[in-house]
Amino acid sequence: MTASNGRPAAAEDTAGRDTVAAVVRQWQAVHPELDTGPMEVIGRINRCAALLQQAEDAPLRRAGLSRPEFDLLGALRRTGHELTPSELTRETYSSGAAVTKRLKVLTERGLVERRGDTRDRRVAHVRLTDAGRELVDGILPEQLAYETAVLSVIAPEGRGELAGLLADLLGRLESRTAGLRG
Amino acid sequence: MTASNGRPAAAEDTAGRDTVAAVVRQWQAVHPELDTGPMEVIGRINRCAALLQQAEDAPLRRAGLSRPEFDLLGALRRTGHELTPSELTRETYSSGAAVTKRLKVLTERGLVERRGDTRDRRVAHVRLTDAGRELVDGILPEQLAYETAVLSVIAPEGRGELAGLLADLLGRLESRTAGLRG
DNA sequence: AGGAAATGCTTTACAGGTAAAACACATGCT
DNA sequence: AGCATGTGTTTTACCTGTAAAGCATTTCCT
């Protein structure tokens, strides 16, 4: 199902219609000797991420939350138990300093609470307040419905294939914990 | 090639191994009634973007450039002619203020030059200096080689399919200029 | 011609992130 | 016990992006 140039037949009706394709064409014209293949994947992932985030943020913004804030609350909700700040950095893939700042804001808004560990007084335990849990539970269905609507521009089979290919890529990227040296 | 649950056979050997799958499983346990399908696509795109950018930035950083700076220089290089700041905002998908700031830095570094338009004195024209063009031309091959290496974790057919599916999604997202209301 | 509106760019005020240092406490070694 | 080292979290200084306001200039309309 893949043409010699690596372009699959599935995209035939919108081929060349995205901005990344145009950018790649420009590079090819200037540097015909370079293999611009990776741009077609990485450039598109980046651009899709940017566009999706922008769209996606709308329901969150109505609730007065940024995406990183929602990610933090969501981590607490989906794990179902208290998390320490360090665990939150792992769950949300953000730095400790960023988590500290978000926790400050979310605590002031009454969405999360903290308590000190009794054994080890360095560690804190963070949990959702009732208001926090209700907020997450209220937003999530809207959020998912919204995302479904955004993704409905492509066919369900395409979505499934995309999810599978991305899972494969992501799984392999994540398993090489050490970064490649270039 | 798509199972009833929308998971393609292609991902079988790494199924469930990415962190997004784990997150989705947690949500399913807490809210079994919700359709978490969109997370499998959007969550993975976001996470792939984050991981790839981190990896990808290494060769740029060695040249002392951030990705947004490189994008700006790249836009000038690939179009092959001068661009105005507004054109640069379109080419790089960033705000006018951000472009102004980057131009200031890049001008100070001697990588770009600006001249005023003779007809319309509001507009500026920005072009690469020789040093700027040499920098871009020096980095680009490294950058692409690096990206190729990163993507080599998946098979070439997968890359092609992924590029095609992303092109389709991106093309459709971009063509709906107006954002969805949620 | 002349003022209102539009356009291109920059400035300002501010939000939120990061890296590195700082801090508080725990743990391990001798 | 007592001190070095390690760990969990916060603080600091700074960088970069954005939204909104500001400025200069052009264009439109009568």
Side-chain angles (χ1 to χ4, degrees):
Chain A
M1 278 312 242
T2 302
S4 58
N5 60 5
R7 213 177 288 147
E12 57 207 355
D13 58 337
T14 45
R17 287 231 180 137
D18 72 312
T19 52
V20 171
V23 165
V24 168
R25 258 182 259 120
Q26 287 183 318
W27 278 122
Q28 290 282 7
V30 177
H31 282 302
E33 80 285 5
L34 292 178
D35 171 17
T36 49
M39 286 185 185
E40 307 229 6
V41 175
I42 295 181
R44 283 182 180 123
I45 287 178
N46 287 335
R47 185 96 188 91
C48 282
L51 280 177
L52 289 171
Q53 297 228 12
Q54 192 185 346
E56 217 185 336
D57 284 351
L60 296 183
R61 280 209 160 346
R62 280 187 296 163
L65 288 178
S66 67
R67 169 144 284 275
E69 286 169 340
F70 182 75
D71 285 347
L72 194 160
L73 297 177
L76 290 168
R77 181 69 181 108
R78 60 174 215 261
T79 58
H81 51 74
E82 295 181 333
L83 293 172
T84 67
S86 349
E87 287 168 336
L88 283 168
T89 65
R90 275 167 236 140
E91 291 295 330
T92 63
Y93 306 108
S94 40
S95 71
V99 167
T100 297
K101 287 186 182 181
R102 275 178 230 152
L103 284 177
K104 186 168 170 252
V105 170
L106 294 172
T107 305
E108 283 164 2
R109 284 202 216 165
L111 300 174
V112 302
E113 280 172 349
R114 35 197 321 166
R115 66 171 184 86
D117 187 291
T118 41
R119 307 270 175 131
D120 186 338
R121 290 193 311 198
R122 289 170 305 180
V123 338
H125 295 271
V126 181
R127 68 174 157 235
L128 287 175
T129 61
D130 290 347
R133 181 163 54 271
E134 283 161 20
L135 184 60
V136 172
D137 285 352
I139 289 174
L140 190 61
E142 284 183 55
Q143 182 66 18
L144 286 169
Y146 195 84
E147 295 182 2
T148 301
V150 170
L151 286 185
S152 70
V153 298
I154 59 174
E157 314 85 58
R159 264 173 270 163
E161 263 189 79
L162 195 49
L165 288 163
L166 288 169
D168 188 29
L169 174 59
L170 185 51
R172 293 171 192 276
L173 289 177
E174 286 176 334
S175 65
R176 23 178 88 205
T177 42
L180 285 173
R181 66 238 132 88
Chain B
M1 279 316 239
T2 301
S4 57
N5 61 4
R7 210 176 292 144
E12 56 210 354
D13 58 335
T14 46
R17 288 233 181 136
D18 71 314
T19 52
V20 171
V23 166
V24 167
R25 258 182 259 121
Q26 288 183 316
W27 278 121
Q28 289 282 6
V30 177
H31 282 301
E33 80 285 5
L34 292 178
D35 171 18
T36 49
M39 285 185 185
E40 307 227 6
V41 176
I42 296 182
R44 284 184 179 121
I45 286 177
N46 288 334
R47 184 97 189 90
C48 281
L51 280 178
L52 289 170
Q53 296 228 13
Q54 194 186 344
E56 216 184 339
D57 284 352
L60 297 183
R61 283 211 158 347
R62 278 187 296 162
L65 288 177
S66 68
R67 168 144 287 271
E69 286 169 340
F70 182 75
D71 285 346
L72 194 159
L73 297 177
L76 290 167
R77 180 69 181 109
R78 62 174 213 259
T79 58
H81 50 74
E82 293 181 333
L83 293 172
T84 67
S86 351
E87 287 167 336
L88 283 168
T89 66
R90 275 168 236 140
E91 292 294 332
T92 63
Y93 306 108
S94 42
S95 72
V99 167
T100 296
K101 289 185 182 180
R102 275 178 230 151
L103 284 176
K104 186 168 169 252
V105 170
L106 294 172
T107 306
E108 283 164 1
R109 282 203 217 164
L111 299 174
V112 302
E113 280 172 349
R114 37 196 322 163
R115 66 172 184 84
D117 187 290
T118 41
R119 306 269 175 132
D120 186 339
R121 290 192 310 194
R122 290 170 307 181
V123 337
H125 295 271
V126 181
R127 69 175 158 236
L128 287 175
T129 61
D130 290 347
R133 179 161 55 272
E134 282 161 21
L135 183 61
V136 172
D137 286 351
I139 289 174
L140 191 61
E142 281 183 58
Q143 182 67 19
L144 287 169
Y146 195 84
E147 295 182 3
T148 300
V150 170
L151 287 184
S152 69
V153 297
I154 58 174
E157 313 85 58
R159 262 172 272 164
E161 263 189 78
L162 195 50
L165 289 163
L166 288 168
D168 188 29
L169 174 59
L170 185 52
R172 292 171 193 275
L173 289 177
E174 286 176 334
S175 65
R176 25 179 86 205
T177 43
L180 283 174
R181 66 239 130 90

